[in-house]
Amino acid sequence: PKITYRVGGDSTTVDAAVGTSLMQLALQNAVSGIVAECGGNAMCATCHVYVEDGPVDRLADVGAAEDEMLDCTMSPREPNSRLSCQIPMTDEIDGLVVRVADEQH
Ligand code: FES
């Protein structure tokens, strides 16, 4: 499955291994703008992305911890805001497009 990250005016599409998170995948592929201070525990809100395109409705719902941290993002929270560490890579979300938030902390 593939995921596209938009960062500023650029976009990068990467091949994803199922089981990693969208945060890990971004770091592994040197996608800029993801800080991920807490290492993927829904405790820092520095892996903020906006889900923009693709199979958006196949994403799992925002969890309670994620919801709480999304109120602490540096860039404004929008209805399509997610923490990328809380999105596991699956075949179902092949083709998803996310925009990395401009400011993470
Ligand atoms: Fe910290 Fe996602 S890496 S909340």
Side-chain angles (χ1 to χ4, degrees):
K2 291 194 165 61
I3 295 290
T4 297
Y5 296 89
R6 291 178 175 154
V7 185
D10 294 332
S11 99
T12 310
T13 300
V14 302
D15 255 320
V18 168
T20 53
S21 72
L22 262 57
M23 175 278 277
Q24 290 169 317
L25 197 61
L27 296 188
Q28 284 162 11
N29 288 278
V31 172
S32 62
I34 299 276
V35 179
E37 248 161 27
C38 79
N41 294 306
M43 288 174 65
C44 72
T46 64
C47 64
H48 182 200
V49 298
Y50 302 102
V51 177
E52 291 198 327
D53 216 341
V56 174
D57 49 6
R58 300 212 196 115
L59 284 174
D61 290 341
V62 174
E66 181 180 5
D67 186 45
E68 221 169 280
M69 281 318 300
L70 279 169
D71 285 336
C72 307
T73 55
M74 190 55 65
S75 290
R77 180 178 187 174
E78 303 290 348
N80 61 342
S81 284
R82 296 296 303 255
L83 297 180
S84 57
C85 71
Q86 300 302 303
I87 304 179
M89 192 59 225
T90 62
D91 286 322
E92 284 71 40
I93 63 168
D94 180 33
L96 194 75
V97 179
V98 301
R99 170 168 297 281
V100 178
D102 286 338
E103 291 184 80
Q104 300 286 12
H105 64 83

